[in-house]
Amino acid sequence: MEWVLAEALLGQSQDPRVLLQTLCRGEASAERVETLHFLLQRLEEKTARNGGDALAEAAREVAAGYLVPLLRAPCAHPAGTPAFDPPARPRQRVLRAAGAALRSCARLAGGSSLAATLAEEALRDLLAAGSAPGVEGSAEAAVEVLAAVGPCLRPLEDGPLLECVAQAALSLALAGDGEAAALAAGRLLPELGRSGGAALQAVWGGLLAPGWSGCVGPRLLVLSALAERLLPAPGEPEEGPDARRYVRFWAAVQAGLALAGDALTRKRARYLLQRAVEVSAEQGADCTCGSREGNGPSLFWWSENKKDELLKFWENYILILETLEGNQIHVIKPVLPKLNNLFEYAVSEENGCWIFHPSWHMCIYKRMFESENKILTKEGVSHFLEHYETKVLPFSPEFSELIIGPLMDALSESSLYSRSPGQPIGSGSPLGLKLERFLVAYISLLPKELKSSFLFKFIQKMTSRHWCAVPILFLSKALASVPRCKALGPEGLLALRDVLQCTMITHQILLRGAAQCYLLQTAINLVDVEKVSVSDISAFLMSLRQEESLGRGTSLWTELCDWLHANERCFGRSSACSPVELQEKCSLNSYVKNLVQEYIKSPAWETGESYWMPDWFEAKLVALMILLAVDVDGMRNQNSKKRRTQSILRTFLDPLLDALAKLGTNAYMPLPKTDRCLQLLVKLLHTCPVKGSSTEADEVFALLQDLLVSTTESISKFLLRRLTMNELSSVSDLDCCHLYLQVLTELIDLHLKLGWKTGNPLWRMISTLENASVQYLQDTDRAQELMQGRQIQRVVSMAALATVCRATDQELQLQLDPLDAGPTERFLASLPLNQILQKPHPEDQSSCFEESSSSQGWGKIAAQYIHDQWVCLSFLLKKYRSLIPASEGDLLESTLPAVQRPVRTLQSALGALTVLPAEHVLPVFHCMKLLVPKLLASSESVCIEAFDISWRIISSLSNTQLIFWPNLKAFVQFVFDTEVLAIAAEIKGQAYFKIKEDELVSTSTTRYYVNSQQHRVKNRIWQILLLLSPRFDQNFLNRIIDKIFQAGFINNQASIKYYIEWIIILILHKFPQFLPKFWGYFSYGEENLKTSICTFLSVLPHLDIIIQNVPEKKHILKQALVTVLQWGFSHNFIVRLYALVALKKIWGMCKMLQVEELDALTSVIESSLNQVENARGAGNAKKNWQRIQDHFFFAAFHPLKDYCLETIFYILPRLSGLVEDEWISTDKFARFTDIPSHTGCLSSSSPTRLHQLKPGDWAQQDAGSNLGETANQSEWADVQKKIIPWKNNVPDLDLELEFQDRAAKLGKSINRLIVVASLIDKPTNLGGLCRTCEVFGASVLVVSNLQCVHNKQFQHLSVSAEQWLPLVEVKPPELMHYLQQKKVEGYTVIGVEQTARSAALTQYCFPEKSLLLLGNEHEGIPANLIQQLDVCVEIPQQGIIRSLNVHVSGALLIWEYTRQQLRGHGGIPT
């Protein structure tokens, strides 16, 4: 066509120069510039045949006066021409045509002077644009010019210029990210490379330079475009280097193969690999590439002697890579056995060395690890771990890099560690076990000199990101399983400490503790004791939480002691050792002895300085090391253990005991020293007790207690002085107060364990402290001025009273006369409750009131003061519980107001809940527990308010684990107290309904998933409700029945759905009067019903149970039939199935009861049931009908007989797919022996066969749950293979080709089919058509709006086909003009529509230039457009449905057109 147009123009003009000048005037449209290009191309052909240079000057004028200005300023316009401002797509078309025309001009001008001149000017523009920001258009124009004239330069004479152009283009392509960079990579560099010589060498050298190793995409774009030069086939001239022999070429290919986010780059890398293999096979010559490390196997090699083996290896390798692109596990799974074969090919059986470089295998695994499909990721990780464990592979650094990098990144996904379906509860994660075995096998094969570096990098990787608790647990477990070796030095131990810090960020305490245990085990196994000191070990141990992992007496503690004992003389030098001992290895005892002495020494501190409490870290460290050293010494001296233990403990504690003994007499001892000693005392008492054993059985703890008891009197005097003598006067002193009261509590516990003796000095101290605190509080109440020291001492006094009350409450030995109300009790009972502690004025006006970040703000201090008040009040209420009246009545005088005025006290408790932070409300709950049972009958409204406020507090704490559970426990204890429940049930007031009522219908629209926390909580709630259902009376059900019915409309998980259906059946069985309300819900909110109506339809197959006690059953059966028949005609297939199950059961009841009133419906019902029962074929409808009938809820479940603990808590959760943790067996209930036997007829086990059933397959199963079926296949005989046309992978870089010619050259398409889809609305249909058109090589797809390609549904169906297929936008109103235009161009317009004159597809012969017009999904092709059609083609049909989906119709016609064209050209579709 273009040739005919050029000939017609030349035939109209005698002088081509005049014609050229004419075309250079006017608007610079795409059509005009393309016409100029066609004309210049034709003139170039004629000049080549006839010779002459008459047109040379005219070509120069066109180039310099029109084309170059047009390229340089595409948004401006050449002189004498109208303004030109084309949009993006036409502008690219203009630039493409202008560049092609400029090349023809350079050829017509003769020689290379014009080309060189234009190239030099464009190079200057390119360099200037590269150094100046915001000139993207200039760079783009310069690249267009250089790409046009570059091939016209002479390789020898213009060699330096070509090298400069190549270097500039490389810098732009590999460093930039704009349009100019893309043009340089996709057009200019390939054109320069095709020129050969110096330009090709410059491009080649730049592409493989080390500085551009990260620019994988642009490099592979250029390499794939130059594949014919770098990888020439036999018979083609070898003008450039052989890429197969260069390591960096293969490194670039491998980087592209494993690139996660760029499918196009991976495709180019596969193309280069495929071409290299094909070229090697065709040439038949040996070829070897060097190794990346300088030794080991080559990255690529070829030997004609092993041609078959090599072809088999690379064929399987490329097949696996192609299959991975689909991301479909059912396609990938059968191909994975071929990966095993790759390893067999890659390792020599003779010497066990690598034949193929292992980095090729790593590309496959890296691609799987980084897949967005988590099932594929898990499969890849499992395959890698399992294969390396079972196959002993030679060591390769690439494996270590893969493990530390992509593998560990993939292992950070918690979902990978889930148990497989069918695994018993308590079994480990399959992936976790594989990881453990793999790490042991891999490290055992590592060379000794590499183990340390690998393990160090492995541990460092565990600190490089925020890991979840589950991955950290399994990685730590795998590390702990590594056999003992000296691999980690101080840096490795520090890295383990960093990992421990990572584990602390999770609130999952059990997982956190387990990970800490495994990391300690790792340190014991892998630390090189000669390189680390005892000080390093102690610092590491301090990163553990002893209450979660390293408790004294545990097996891990014993193992640590054994390890310390075995290596005591092997540790490196420690700074804690004495100068003499530094000359040799420092022993553990020497280290601990020096550690204690240094700790007890008074730190530098002057009296005038502000005092801050010492940090607890050092005390915790010293206490831990003392106890470890004592236990290690006990292992060393088994024979004289007791005397030796006493001696060594005394040796360690002498400095501490000496200091504690002087506390009461030495008033000048520095406070830092006294407080540090008391901190160490507390930590020793906390750390020493052995978990799970009595005090008497632990010799060390008994000796420690004996030693500390001797210092009690001295410590008591010191505490009394500090707490009562106004020495605590600043905010920071409150930290010291907390320490002193903690020491007092520990001393009380210690003396109570040893036996409380008469005349105990601690008792005198407690009595004095109590009286002094009361006296001070009374004095400060009368004081007028609020001074800081007074207020701080007030807080201290109240905290001291709270401590005394708490200790007295817990130990009856401290209560001399339980019923005697002394001065302290009367004072506490008379205190104004919830009194806000006013913020004081500073005593020293020159200094600001301290409220620093290291101490509490005054708001927290005031809250603590109120909290301590309620602790004291809780003690009073518990002690004088018998004095609490049921109502206040006319009580005129009360000695204990807070006890004898319970209503006022409970109201104050409600006020306290509104002002106290959540961590301080626990004592208020304890007071409520004592008050509510007394007041529920007389002051019900106040009690209900207490329930509401308390529940709001508990609800707000759901994300605060540390304080949530204690508060929840206290709430449950006072709301569900047996006395409260009994009183509430007796009076049947508002409190009764408040306690029993539960919110069954969640108003949240957030979707929750199976076995999620929300699902499991809801499941427990419905279980309890079902358990209590026999106790429901009609009044209570009147309040909650609507909520139960409404719960059925939520998108519930299967287990909750069964519970709701079951409880509805039981309620209707017991109270048939609710049936009218039940029928009403079949039409409730029809817009929201959808498939949730299945919950109500599932109730109806058990209608025989519901109406069991109803005398008149016929009316109910009639109502049921009418309802079921209505839903039997639903559009939803699932709803119809449930309705048919109910219909079958109800109709059977009608026939059994011989209900004559329903005879008129017999034919309809019988025919419906016969049709579904006798459905032909083995399709899904037949299978699903059989499945739903066999479902346990309809086939085996009996709502009355199966009402038992086993069904509610074990069978139903198991059959509904709940996680095994929720399967509660009946033996768990055996411990509750206090449950009365008369609570009902609830039995423990099911008498039916329900417990014998297994979970059915009616519910949709996880798509990945059956993947294990192919795991044992050694290798499949045939697998799916996605066809990837290799010759289409090279991007088009020819400036002189447009869409149709480019497609023909690339072999992508040999047709001129246009598919018009402008009338189609749905993105899914457009996406599918786009994919079909690209696959079968249509020349263009016409749509109504090009923005449709950004739609997610379109992209999901098109799978990137829009990137390879030309798309044109033609809006529906413009279709008439577009069709007429195409008719003029010679196209036959074919409509895909059924009309009176339509031809059958099987009889129609498509012309080569065909245009398919597809109709709208609903309306088809409009009548006005039908008149523009040359022919209508319809698809012959055999079925009842009158039409096909528009995408399917289009696909059938596109394939038929392609089939006919392939046959016409002699091609056979592959």
Side-chain angles (χ1 to χ4, degrees), residues 25 77 149 184 287 331 366 423 455 532 636 722-723 725 792 966 995 1024 1099 1133 1164 1200 1258 1291 1409 1469:
R25 291 193 295 268
H77 57 280
V149 302
C287 172
V331 177
K366 189 172 185 291
Q423 268 193 283
L455 284 168
V532 299
R636 189 186 307 117
R722 291 286 287 166
L723 292 171
M725 300 301 291
I792 295 298
I995 294 172
I1024 298 303
V1099 173
F1133 173 69
V1164 176
L1200 299 182
W1258 170 241
K1409 298 184 71 172

Side-chain angles (χ1 to χ4, degrees), residues 1010-1255:
V1010 63
N1011 291 321
S1012 65
Q1013 183 71 16
Q1014 187 177 358
H1015 176 203
R1016 295 165 73 170
V1017 169
K1018 279 195 168 188
N1019 194 75
R1020 293 287 182 94
I1021 291 174
W1022 281 102
Q1023 284 175 329
I1024 298 303
L1025 196 64
L1026 188 60
L1027 198 64
L1028 298 175
S1029 61
R1031 294 288 182 172
F1032 295 167
D1033 55 28
Q1034 187 168 348
N1035 292 332
F1036 179 66
L1037 284 173
N1038 284 332
R1039 294 171 57 88
I1040 70 166
I1041 190 66
D1042 285 322
K1043 293 184 178 181
I1044 293 177
F1045 286 149
Q1046 290 166 17
F1049 291 104
I1050 301 175
N1051 185 21
N1052 293 305
Q1053 296 294 343
S1055 65
I1056 296 175
K1057 177 177 177 289
Y1058 299 147
Y1059 286 127
I1060 294 174
E1061 294 163 2
W1062 192 0
I1063 201 169
I1064 290 176
I1065 294 170
L1066 294 178
I1067 290 173
L1068 295 179
H1069 167 75
K1070 187 175 181 181
F1071 301 100
Q1073 55 267 37
F1074 289 116
L1075 274 170
K1077 187 181 287 288
F1078 174 71
W1079 301 127
Y1081 273 92
F1082 278 94
S1083 57
Y1084 168 79
E1086 293 188 11
E1087 69 280 0
N1088 297 321
L1089 283 176
K1090 299 180 181 177
T1091 58
S1092 61
I1093 196 64
C1094 295
T1095 295
F1096 296 88
L1097 290 172
S1098 298
V1099 173
L1100 294 179
H1102 300 283
L1103 192 62
D1104 55 338
I1105 305 295
I1106 295 173
I1107 63 175
Q1108 193 175 45
N1109 301 324
V1110 178
E1112 182 55 46
K1113 297 180 174 59
K1114 296 182 179 180
H1115 174 73
I1116 298 176
L1117 288 172
K1118 183 177 181 181
Q1119 177 67 51
L1121 277 179
V1122 172
T1123 302
V1124 169
L1125 286 172
Q1126 171 190 351
W1127 288 101
F1129 294 98
S1130 171
H1131 293 290
N1132 189 288
F1133 173 69
I1134 302 298
V1135 174
R1136 292 201 304 272
L1137 274 182
Y1138 276 93
L1140 285 169
V1141 170
L1143 178 64
K1144 182 178 180 181
K1145 185 67 178 287
I1146 296 169
W1147 185 242
M1149 294 173 59
C1150 292
K1151 291 195 293 184
M1152 183 178 64
L1153 296 175
Q1154 298 179 355
V1155 184
E1156 299 177 356
E1157 294 88 337
L1158 302 177
D1159 289 345
L1161 298 174
T1162 301
S1163 59
V1164 176
I1165 295 174
E1166 294 286 355
S1167 60
S1168 299
L1169 292 176
N1170 287 335
Q1171 183 178 6
V1172 68
E1173 291 284 1
N1174 301 320
R1176 296 181 179 180
N1180 286 335
K1182 178 72 173 180
K1183 293 178 181 177
N1184 286 330
W1185 169 244
Q1186 190 59 46
R1187 287 176 182 173
I1188 196 172
Q1189 289 186 99
D1190 295 338
H1191 190 271
F1192 77 88
F1193 197 79
F1194 305 124
F1197 173 70
H1198 192 283
L1200 299 182
K1201 295 180 181 179
D1202 284 312
Y1203 183 74
C1204 61
L1205 291 174
E1206 184 183 24
T1207 307
I1208 297 173
F1209 292 100
Y1210 185 84
I1211 297 177
L1212 212 57
R1214 179 176 62 84
L1215 294 178
S1216 57
L1218 263 172
V1219 67
E1220 296 95 325
D1221 298 351
E1222 296 297 315
W1223 303 0
I1224 305 176
S1225 57
T1226 54
D1227 59 345
K1228 301 291 185 183
F1229 298 92
R1231 71 182 70 172
F1232 298 106
T1233 56
D1234 56 341
I1235 299 178
S1237 58
H1238 60 275
T1239 52
C1241 57
L1242 188 64
S1243 60
S1244 59
S1245 59
S1246 172
T1248 68
R1249 66 183 183 90
L1250 195 65
H1251 63 279
Q1252 303 173 355
L1253 300 182
K1254 295 181 179 180

Side-chain angles (χ1 to χ4, degrees), residues 479-522:
L479 276 174
S481 63
V482 175
R484 293 197 173 188
C485 60
K486 297 180 179 181
L488 298 180
E491 298 82 5
L493 200 59
L494 186 61
L496 279 176
R497 286 178 59 187
D498 294 338
V499 178
L500 282 171
Q501 297 303 320
C502 294
T503 67
M504 300 306 177
I505 63 176
T506 176
H507 291 294
Q508 298 170 312
I509 297 176
L510 295 179
L511 296 181
R512 183 174 68 200
Q516 292 176 65
C517 293
Y518 287 129
L519 290 171
L520 176 56
Q521 183 71 57
T522 301

Side-chain angles (χ1 to χ4, degrees), residues 75 94 140 236 995 1147 1185 1196 1278 1406 1469:
C75 294
V94 169
E140 186 178 340
E236 297 180 359
I995 294 172
W1147 185 242
W1185 169 244
D1278 199 9
F1406 286 91

